[in-house]
Amino acid sequence: MQAAVITHYHQAEPLMTSMPIPDVQPTDVLVKIMAASINPIDTKTMAGGLKLLLHYPMPLVLGSDFADEIVAVGNQVTQFKIGDAVYGRPRKQRIGTFAEYLAVNVADIALKPTNLSYQAAAAIPLVGLTSYQALHDLMQLRPGQKVLIQGGSGGIGTIAIQLAKSLGAQVATTTSLKNAALVNSLGADQIIDYHTENFATALSDYDAVFDTRGGTTLEQAFQIVKPGGHIVSISGLPNGRFAKAAGLPLWKQSLFKLAAHRLTRLERQTHVTYHFLFMHPSGSELAILTKLIEQNKGRPIIDRVFDFKELNQALAYSKTGHARGKIIIKIGATN
Ligand SMILES: NC(=O)c1ccc[n+]([C@@H]2O[C@H](COP(=O)([O-])OP(=O)(O)OC[C@H]3O[C@@H](n4cnc5c(N)ncnc54)[C@H](OP(=O)(O)O)[C@@H]3O)[C@@H](O)[C@H]2O)c1
């Protein structure tokens, strides 16, 4: 099969390489990948930016989510069968969706929404699960609560806005003026053009902030959240609490505790809880998203579709940081 491979960190571009089709473990299915999506984690992984959290053996096939058809099942698999259309985010040590085939644990997949094409479905797993884990699992958003979603027009933002609305929340979001109509169509109640307005002075008394930016944007979020509220960041610094819960070695726990000391001080001063989220694969949570999508409570927003052979152009486009929704890689699917 053809796969997009890096052989070392800091490699400029993955190389299309011929590889054997992966072996299927007893609790795996083998899938023929129809479409995959680009996520910023692809280029961050290539650059070695996540080495403290995830260190991969090389060579590494890139790609973190997919939609596909099952072509073989392991001998302990009962919940899926050959021919099922599924989608998923493989566990972190078994990524590799920029390839024609993937062996994936059944706990990491769910049936594809029947109302989505393979290309549209491939837009969902990583960003959908991340948003669900932030808004539902960590913030436990309730109807009427107010949440700010940073970067409403991105891969995360476009799904997170819809999910927050389906949980009954009032949603403010930051984006550029050119994307205001898009985020409005997804249900955003208040739109802040981050080029001309500072959210920290425009908003107050929020129950939660979903931070996709990190840095000073994350620190400013403490100004708008009520005591008892939550900030969940997927781009800020991991803190000691995260490192402990993730079972990282003591030296990494100390390192993250030290690095995030300003956030810990802000937590103490404001009585707001800071969570760093490193999303985890979950077929059962993905099945919940399948239901929401089939009930028309959410839809993927697709910016551009690239052919598999154009993967490097797709990665370069993602690196601009201004995609509008998701970037899709067409691998086996015609739609
Ligand atoms: N920790 C985790 O588990 C996890 C999971 C998923 C993603 N992430 C991280 O989350 C971040 C967002 O991911 P993504 O998939 O949404 O990325 P993305 O699709 O590349 O985000 C692009 C969007 O960001 C917007 N944007 C750029 N600068 C902005 C700013 N200063 N304020 C508000 N919006 C801004 C752009 O809008 P304009 O064109 O209008 O500027 C664009 O629509 C990435 O850093 C990614 O690595 C982490």
Side-chain angles (χ1 to χ4, degrees):
M1 68 168 189
Q2 289 296 298
V5 173
I6 56 168
T7 53
H8 57 275
Y9 288 117
H10 307 292
Q11 189 171 316
E13 292 181 334
L15 287 179
M16 220 42 100
T17 308
S18 194
M19 299 187 71
I21 290 177
D23 291 334
V24 181
Q25 306 298 316
T27 54
D28 285 351
V29 293
L30 181 71
V31 295
K32 177 172 167 27
I33 296 188
M34 300 294 186
S37 85
I38 303 275
N39 292 282
I41 196 171
D42 304 323
T43 46
K44 288 183 184 176
T45 300
M46 284 173 67
L50 297 171
K51 270 194 283 186
L52 270 177
L53 290 176
L54 265 180
H55 203 287
Y56 286 109
M58 297 287 164
L60 173 70
V61 183
L62 293 171
S64 288
D65 55 9
F66 61 88
D68 55 50
E69 187 180 299
I70 296 179
V71 292
V73 295
N75 60 19
Q76 289 174 20
V77 173
T78 53
Q79 35 314 37
F80 295 97
K81 59 182 188 314
I82 291 174
D84 280 349
V86 294
Y87 68 155
R89 193 283 191 239
R91 53 198 58 188
K92 288 165 189 164
Q93 293 305 336
R94 299 187 66 191
I95 63 167
T97 65
F98 298 155
E100 290 173 308
Y101 292 88
L102 175 80
V104 56
N105 191 291
V106 282
D108 301 344
I109 62 173
L111 288 173
K112 173 179 87 61
T114 50
N115 54 345
L116 293 187
S117 66
Y118 283 111
Q119 287 177 22
I124 297 291
L126 194 146
V127 294
L129 287 170
T130 306
S131 302
Y132 189 83
Q133 289 163 12
L135 302 169
H136 178 272
D137 298 352
L138 292 173
M139 292 176 192
Q140 303 184 350
L141 271 188
R142 293 188 303 280
Q145 287 192 318
K146 294 199 295 185
V147 62
L148 167 66
I149 295 171
Q150 298 281 15
S153 49
I156 290 282
T158 48
I159 198 77
I161 292 171
Q162 299 179 80
L163 197 51
K165 291 306 294 179
S166 79
L167 293 168
Q170 272 189 58
V171 178
T173 193
T174 53
T175 186
S176 303
L177 197 56
K178 66 178 191 295
N179 291 320
L182 168 69
V183 296
N184 186 260
S185 74
L186 300 174
D189 301 287
Q190 187 170 352
I191 300 164
I192 293 168
D193 174 2
Y194 71 86
H195 297 284
T196 56
E197 206 177 356
N198 183 348
F199 73 92
T201 46
L203 306 175
S204 58
D205 281 336
Y206 267 63
D207 296 286
V209 173
F210 184 15
D211 171 69
T212 59
R213 311 292 320 162
T216 50
T217 307
L218 167 58
E219 290 187 12
Q220 285 185 338
F222 286 88
Q223 296 173 30
I224 71 158
V225 180
K226 294 178 197 170
H230 298 268
I231 297 174
V232 176
S233 181
I234 53 174
S235 291
L237 286 166
N239 57 5
R241 198 183 310 127
F242 163 83
K244 192 169 177 193
L248 298 183
L250 281 177
W251 72 269
K252 284 192 186 174
Q253 290 185 33
S254 308
L255 188 72
F256 286 133
K257 190 173 167 190
L258 192 67
H261 75 277
R262 284 165 66 98
L263 297 169
T264 308
R265 197 174 60 220
L266 285 167
E267 270 191 305
R268 266 202 306 271
Q269 287 167 351
T270 57
H271 304 285
V272 167
T273 306
Y274 170 66
H275 313 258
F276 172 77
L277 169 64
F278 199 31
M279 65 80 59
H280 55 270
S282 167
S284 55
E285 289 193 333
L286 201 51
I288 295 171
L289 296 176
T290 298
K291 282 211 181 78
L292 289 174
I293 291 166
E294 288 178 345
Q295 292 162 0
N296 294 317
K297 291 188 178 150
R299 63 189 166 96
I301 300 301
I302 294 178
D303 180 336
R304 287 174 68 176
V305 179
F306 289 84
D307 282 331
F308 195 17
K309 59 179 184 307
E310 300 170 321
L311 177 68
N312 291 338
Q313 283 123 280
L315 290 167
Y317 181 51
S318 165
K319 261 181 114 171
T320 64
H322 294 289
R324 222 168 159 255
K326 293 289 295 178
I327 305 163
I328 302 297
I329 305 298
K330 184 167 81 172
I331 299 180
T334 48
N335 62 37

